């Protein structure tokens, strides 16, 4: 029993050993899993720079392989072929200094978070099966040829250096459900006059960019539930058009924008009536009291007004409205946090269900 236990432990430790064989003058190195995260096989500090290094490397035969730190250099065709030979379908790499990615056509899930990635090479002639692609916290400036990734369900490009994002790029992705573009330098969303249809999109995050306007009239997103445009340069927001274009909208984060008083007033009335969880910075506009009064009048049966308050009635009512507003804002923030956690949980459950067999995987990020 002791010997069996020792053998099992050795399987979980990375072993780089010399087989005594040479491939094009390079020593063959065979990797085994250093550790496991659920059913993800993890390799720590692997070093693969040149194609000769890749050809001389033998990766473990697993479906889910992760590289943590170390140095990979570039995801080349040769590297992708070695992963294909090992039967790998899902890959993550964190802190491996990958600067160039040649998009693999045999990988279903690819997570390259925080790698200094600058270039993604996509072959228009290839047929890609990738469904989950997360390239956040890198140095990408362009999404050229991303329209050829037609099988995507989720795309995360948050915290890169992208300035221009034509939304028609994603019109070729009928199954796309989550599009996360926060924390870039996006100033425009394309100039094409055609209507962009994303029939499955439920979550769109454009927060932390430099958008001065939203071309809502060109967006056809019938399933959109969660929209974030926080921390942009918006001064106007047509909330009426927004709820008409996105009939299922339930969460809107438009905080940290300098909306004018008309947009602010219209947004409060529209979203309260539609039960949309919204986060909008309060504007010191003269219409604030009118909004509260209108909402109160709508809730009173037959328009019956309460008896006039005695003494300092107007001042007390004003203070009461202030407290109610602050409480409502706190509740809205809490509801938004709950909905965001629920959306994250849904994503994790989808990842959980994608893995075949008894050993199911969680997203290592």
């Amino acid at each position: 029993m002791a010997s069996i236990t020792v053998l099992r432990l050795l399987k979980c430790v990375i072993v780089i050993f010399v087989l005594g064989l040479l491939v094009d003058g390079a020593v063959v190195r065979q990797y085994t899993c250093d550790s496991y995260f659920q059913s993800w096989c993890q390799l720590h500090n692997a070093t693969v720079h040149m194609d000769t290094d890749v050809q001389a490397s033998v990766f473990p035969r697993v479906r889910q392989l992760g590289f943590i730190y170390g140095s990979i250099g570039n995801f080349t065709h040769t590297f992708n072929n070695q992963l294909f030979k090992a039967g790998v379908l899902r890959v993550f790499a964190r802190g491996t200094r990958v600067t160039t990615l040649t998009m693999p056509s045999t990988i279903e899930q690819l997570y390259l978070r925080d790698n200094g990635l600058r270039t993604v090479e996509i072959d228009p002639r290839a047929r890609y099966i990738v469904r989950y692609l997360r390239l956040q916290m890198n140095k990408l400036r362009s999404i050229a040829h991303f329209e050829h990734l037609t099988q995507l369900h989720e795309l995360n490009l948050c915290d890169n250096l992208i300035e221009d994002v034509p939304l028609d790029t994603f019109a070729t992705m009928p199954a796309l459900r989550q599009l996360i573009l926060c924390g870039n330098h996006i100033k425009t969303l394309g100039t094409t006059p055609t209507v962009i249809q994303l029939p499955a999109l439920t979550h769109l995050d454009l927060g932390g960019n430099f958008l001065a306007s939203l071309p809502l009239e060109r967006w056809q997103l019938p399933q959109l539930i969660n929209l974030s445009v926080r921390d942009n340069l918006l001064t106007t927001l047509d909330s009426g058009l927004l709820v008409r274009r996105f009939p299922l909208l339930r969460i809107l984060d438009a905080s940290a924008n300098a909306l004018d008083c008309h947009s602010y007033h219209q947004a409060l009335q529209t979203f309260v009536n539609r039960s949309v969880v919204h986060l909008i910075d309060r504007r010191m506009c003269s219409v604030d009291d009118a909004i509260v009064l209108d909402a109160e009048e709508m809730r009173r049966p037959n328009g019956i007004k309460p008896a006039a308050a005695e003494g300092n009635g107007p001042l007390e009512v004003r203070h009461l409205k202030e407290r109610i507003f602050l409480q409502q804002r706190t509740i809205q923030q809490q509801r938004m946090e709950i909905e965001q956690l629920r959306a994250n949980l849904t994503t994790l459950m989808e990842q959980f269900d994608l893995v075949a067999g008894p050993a199911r995987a969680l997203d290592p990020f």
Side-chain angles (χ1 to χ4, degrees), residues 29 48 51 53-61 65 76-88:
R29 296 184 299 178
V48 182
D51 279 352
D53 297 333
V54 177
Q55 294 170 353
S57 300
V58 179
F59 297 113
R61 296 191 62 82
L65 182 61
T76 62
H77 284 296
T78 305
F79 188 84
N80 293 331
N81 287 336
Q82 291 296 89
L83 295 177
F84 174 72
K85 291 178 182 178
V88 178

Side-chain angles (χ1 to χ4, degrees), residues 132-148:
Y132 292 84
L133 180 61
R134 299 181 184 178
L135 305 177
Q136 67 268 39
M137 298 177 65
N138 285 291
K139 298 179 180 180
L140 295 176
R141 295 181 178 273
S142 171
I143 57 171
H145 303 302
F146 270 61
E147 65 271 15
H148 299 289

Side-chain angles (χ1 to χ4, degrees), residues 298-356:
M298 292 177 62
R299 293 186 178 92
R300 291 177 191 146
N302 301 323
I304 299 176
K305 297 183 179 180
E310 298 180 358
N312 296 327
L315 182 60
E316 293 177 357
V317 171
R318 177 78 179 185
H319 290 166
L320 179 60
K321 290 176 182 177
E322 291 286 347
R323 290 197 298 271
I324 292 175
F325 178 85
L326 293 176
Q327 291 174 353
Q328 288 177 337
R329 181 182 177 87
T330 301
I331 293 172
Q332 292 282 15
Q333 290 175 335
Q334 292 174 345
R335 289 177 63 186
M336 181 163 290
E337 291 174 358
I338 292 172
E339 292 294 339
Q340 188 62 57
L341 289 173
R342 186 177 297 171
N344 293 341
L345 178 61
T346 300
T347 300
L348 287 175
M349 292 301 295
E350 290 172 352
Q351 299 285 346
F352 193 79
D353 292 336
L354 279 174
V355 182

Side-chain angles (χ1 to χ4, degrees), residues 50 159 166 251 294 304:
M50 309 296 291
D159 294 325
I251 305 173
D294 288 345
I304 299 176

Side-chain angles (χ1 to χ4, degrees), residues 70-139:
S71 179
I72 294 180
N74 298 331
F75 265 70
T76 62
H77 284 296
T78 305
F79 188 84
N80 293 331
N81 287 336
Q82 291 296 89
L83 295 177
F84 174 72
K85 291 178 182 178
V88 178
L89 293 177
R90 306 172 186 96
V91 176
F92 80 82
R94 182 175 67 239
T96 54
R97 300 190 292 275
V98 178
T99 58
T100 302
L101 166 65
T102 301
M103 184 63 65
S105 60
T106 59
I107 298 296
E108 295 178 353
Q109 299 178 34
L110 183 59
Y111 309 135
L112 299 183
R113 174 179 178 268
D114 189 18
N115 284 280
L117 184 65
R118 296 176 180 272
T119 305
V120 178
E121 298 177 353
I122 299 175
D123 185 356
R125 299 167 298 178
R127 183 177 180 180
Y128 297 98
I129 65 171
V130 60
R131 291 187 289 176
Y132 292 84
L133 180 61
R134 299 181 184 178
L135 305 177
Q136 67 268 39
M137 298 177 65
N138 285 291
K139 298 179 180 180

